[in-house]
Amino acid sequence: MFDYSAPQDLLKGRVILVTGAGDGIGRACALSCAAHGASVVLLGRTLSKLEAVYDEIEAAGHPQPAICPLNLETAAEKDYDELADQLFDTFGKLDGLVHNAALLGPRTLLDSVKNEAWQQLMQVNVNAPFALTKAMMPLLRTAPDASVIFVSSSVGRKARAYWGPYAVSKFAIEGLMQVMADEQEGTSEIRVNSVNPGATRTAMRKAAYPAEEPEKNPEPAQIMPVFLYLLGPDSKGVNGQALDARG
Ligand code: NDP
């Protein structure tokens, strides 16, 4: 695992938005950020799942989170702008933005992928993170040292056959990260990096590898050190890096 031990109050006073916060790695990230003192903005498409995470954070006595039900497949520019306005009114800044939500999509020969499925996946995995980041830039600039994380994949760094639009979308995410990171370098305090979680025990992993023993892979909570490192002040100055949750 990525070698980092986070102090309990690492994220005290920070406001962190996590997409896909209702399940899997995003849920673990939201819970972990809250447990380390952050006010977490839970963005996702299934309200009941977001409410369950909200209740868990509240029951644990961590800072009060906020819920943002939004379907990244259908969200428009005005939805992102409205969210930015709401966050400005509630928190006045954004210290962390974790682009975690994604679709796996069809895993087949590229020439068998339906155009519609390609576009749906690119909308959620690439276009939405771009539009959300753009809308959040004024809030990120207001924070003293904001951190943006794009959740990537091993197939977004070295492609493999049959990983279809998912792999291509993760290459795009790495590109988005690199362009943004280079633009922020020396011009702002915002750092921008990507994380490859590696095989992790979630619904997406199960869908990709149905025959695999789930116990073979770590739970989402076990891969949190790299996220905490990048979201907290210890990673100030780390920019444009493609990191691995497994170290
Ligand atoms: P899951 O499928 O378990 O969770 C994905 C989350 O994204 C869910 O909460 C889901 O919402 C949300 N989501 C999907 N589509 C939308 C949408 N249109 N609008 C809003 N939210 C949406 O995936 P993982 O936790 O496994 O994956 C998290 C990230 O890690 C992804 O970026 C994935 O590519 C990456 N990754 C995962 C690996 C693994 O082994 N698990 C390995 C490498 C990378 P809902 O709950 O409502 O469906």
Side-chain angles (χ1 to χ4, degrees):
M1 266 329 137
F2 186 86
D3 186 19
Y4 179 68
S5 182
Q8 203 59 49
D9 62 351
L10 179 80
L11 305 176
K12 192 163 182 265
R14 291 187 185 238
V15 182
I16 295 171
L17 190 160
V18 181
T19 71
D23 214 338
I25 293 167
R27 173 178 173 276
C29 186
L31 292 172
S32 188
C33 288
H36 287 85
S39 301
V40 185
V41 182
L42 309 165
L43 189 152
R45 65 179 170 181
T46 307
L47 182 60
S48 56
K49 289 187 182 183
L50 300 177
E51 285 174 341
V53 178
Y54 182 103
D55 290 347
E56 208 171 329
I57 291 173
E58 215 179 32
H62 301 318
Q64 191 181 16
I67 286 189
C68 172
L70 197 65
N71 186 338
L72 297 174
E73 193 183 330
T74 50
E77 196 169 358
K78 74 163 180 29
D79 298 313
Y80 297 117
D81 290 342
E82 277 171 22
L83 175 60
D85 289 345
Q86 282 166 14
L87 295 184
F88 183 79
D89 290 344
T90 312
F91 301 108
K93 61 166 185 168
L94 187 63
D95 303 273
L97 175 53
V98 183
H99 292 292
N100 161 81
L103 293 177
L104 179 62
R107 289 182 59 233
T108 175
L109 269 178
L110 277 179
D111 53 15
S112 309
V113 175
K114 293 199 165 58
N115 291 8
E116 201 176 71
W118 177 279
Q119 274 156 17
Q120 177 197 32
L121 188 136
M122 290 300 166
Q123 189 62 31
V124 174
N125 292 15
V126 182
N127 299 350
F130 161 71
L132 178 60
T133 309
K134 200 168 85 152
M136 294 299 143
M137 281 311 274
L139 282 161
L140 292 165
R141 285 200 189 94
T142 308
D145 67 299
S147 173
V148 179
I149 301 176
F150 290 98
V151 179
S152 183
S153 168
S154 52
V155 292
R157 294 175 182 170
K158 172 87 178 73
R160 293 206 297 273
Y162 315 122
W163 276 85
Y166 176 82
V168 179
S169 75
K170 294 299 186 181
F171 268 88
I173 279 299
E174 294 283 355
L176 186 53
M177 179 279 282
Q178 289 184 19
V179 173
M180 268 194 73
D182 205 33
E183 287 175 359
Q184 300 310 312
E185 185 74 37
T187 63
S188 85
E189 297 304 317
I190 302 172
R191 57 193 179 280
V192 189
N193 297 283
S194 74
V195 170
N196 169 23
T200 310
R201 205 182 312 169
T202 68
M204 185 185 287
R205 179 73 193 182
K206 181 92 189 143
Y209 295 89
E212 184 182 70
E213 294 277 327
E215 293 71 28
K216 201 174 142 266
N217 297 316
E219 301 256 23
Q222 292 172 264
I223 63 158
M224 286 304 121
V226 70
F227 289 91
L228 292 171
Y229 169 70
L230 285 176
L231 290 167
D234 292 331
S235 60
K236 271 186 204 171
V238 175
N239 189 36
Q241 301 298 305
L243 300 180
D244 287 300
R246 302 286 189 91

